[in-house]
Amino acid sequence: MKTVLFSLLGAAAVLAAGASSSNANDRYADRPPVMVSPDLSAPWVLQLGHAPGIVRQTRQMMQQPQRRYLQVQPDQQRTAAVQQPARRTAMRPQINPIYLPQEVAFDGPQKPGTIVIDTHQNFLYLVEKDGKARRYGVGTGKPGFEWSGTHKITDKRVWPDWRPPAVMIKREAAKGRYLPTYLAGGEENPLGARALYLGTTEYRIHGTNQPWTIGGAVSSGCIRMRNEDVVDLYERVNVGTTVVVI
């Protein structure tokens, strides 16, 4: 009897230790999957497998626990239908398919493995062998925030924190928009799911929770991608990768 009891206790301890280790090593295990619905331009947090018609929900509605629905009689259903009008759905215009990831011909002088960012056409190329490249659509610096140069990726982060530069905080405050000095990584963070840091600059290639902005001049100099695209790029490149911005 004692042997059986010790065996059960030992198994429980192993399971508990495994769960603790998993929780400690996977800080973002509860994050939703990075995927996109047919409504490619919908806010990323509403792209989790929904159909093109998407009901716009408030944060309070999304945070409410799910309720169990009681079975009701047909008469009660008709009454409820009269009292609660159907909720309307809304759609944003589809993102131009030209900005979705695709393999293209590439005749630039850069070596395979190099990232080339064309800020005029809003494309990011990951150079491959045999005159090809993987091309992604990106959002680039708005007028007055354009730049070019060559840097190395010096850091990679998953669900990065955001610390807006003091000059940005001051600039936005003058417009009546007050930014936090610090914002933890997550769905509400404008840096999105991944970030690749460029040299010693304050610029990054990062995700966005506003995928409908891809293809435009929209940022303060950073290169933004759809979350699912920056995750794909993140897995394909390493620290030390050369990034050429033209």
Side-chain angles (χ1 to χ4, degrees):
M1 183 66 181
K2 289 184 178 180
T3 302
V4 174
L5 179 59
F6 285 140
S7 298
L8 291 175
L9 291 175
V14 169
L15 290 174
S20 176
S21 176
S22 175
N23 290 337
N25 294 330
D26 193 0
R27 176 184 175 191
Y28 299 105
D30 60 340
R31 298 298 186 193
V34 180
M35 56 191 296
V36 65
S37 77
D39 183 5
L40 298 173
S41 61
W44 177 71
V45 292
L46 298 183
Q47 288 184 8
L48 306 180
H50 293 286
I54 291 180
V55 176
R56 301 302 180 195
Q57 295 178 314
T58 64
R59 185 179 303 176
Q60 288 76 15
M61 293 169 59
M62 296 176 69
Q63 291 177 345
Q64 287 179 353
Q66 294 183 350
R67 298 178 180 178
R68 294 184 178 180
Y69 293 93
L70 301 178
Q71 293 184 349
V72 295
Q73 299 301 319
D75 290 342
Q76 292 175 309
Q77 291 178 340
R78 284 195 293 270
T79 301
V82 172
Q83 294 175 348
Q84 299 181 0
R87 186 175 296 171
R88 299 180 64 185
T89 61
M91 286 180 59
R92 291 181 180 271
Q94 291 284 329
I95 188 173
N96 189 330
I98 197 174
Y99 295 119
L100 300 180
Q102 51 195 289
E103 295 290 323
V104 298
F106 184 84
D107 60 359
Q110 291 81 12
K111 298 179 180 179
T114 304
I115 293 175
V116 179
I117 301 172
D118 183 342
T119 59
H120 302 284
Q121 300 296 323
N122 290 330
F123 289 128
L124 181 152
Y125 299 87
L126 177 58
V127 181
E128 299 175 339
K129 297 179 180 179
D130 302 321
K132 296 181 180 180
R134 183 168 178 81
R135 189 182 74 186
Y136 306 84
V138 296
T140 54
K142 54 193 173 185
F145 293 89
E146 308 96 332
W147 64 281
S148 62
T150 300
H151 296 283
K152 299 282 189 180
I153 293 177
T154 52
D155 195 10
K156 296 170 59 180
R157 296 183 190 175
V158 175
W159 293 102
D161 297 335
W162 184 45
R163 292 176 173 82
V167 63
M168 177 184 288
I169 294 176
K170 183 178 180 179
R171 181 176 65 245
E172 295 300 318
K175 302 175 184 177
R177 181 176 176 227
Y178 299 95
L179 301 180
T181 56
Y182 169 81
L183 185 62
E187 297 166 8
E188 300 296 329
N189 193 306
L191 298 188
R194 302 289 187 274
L196 308 172
Y197 294 79
L198 304 180
T200 58
T201 74
E202 294 181 340
Y203 299 127
R204 294 150 291 212
I205 301 170
H206 64 76
T208 179
N209 50 20
Q210 297 178 324
W212 59 88
T213 64
I214 299 304
V218 291
S219 75
S220 295
C222 284
I223 308 300
R224 66 172 65 171
M225 307 175 70
R226 295 189 312 158
N227 272 323
E228 49 269 62
D229 294 346
V230 78
V231 168
D232 181 69
L233 180 66
Y234 183 97
E235 298 297 332
R236 294 174 183 268
V237 300
N238 299 314
V239 170
T241 295
T242 299
V243 180
V244 180
V245 180
I246 57 176

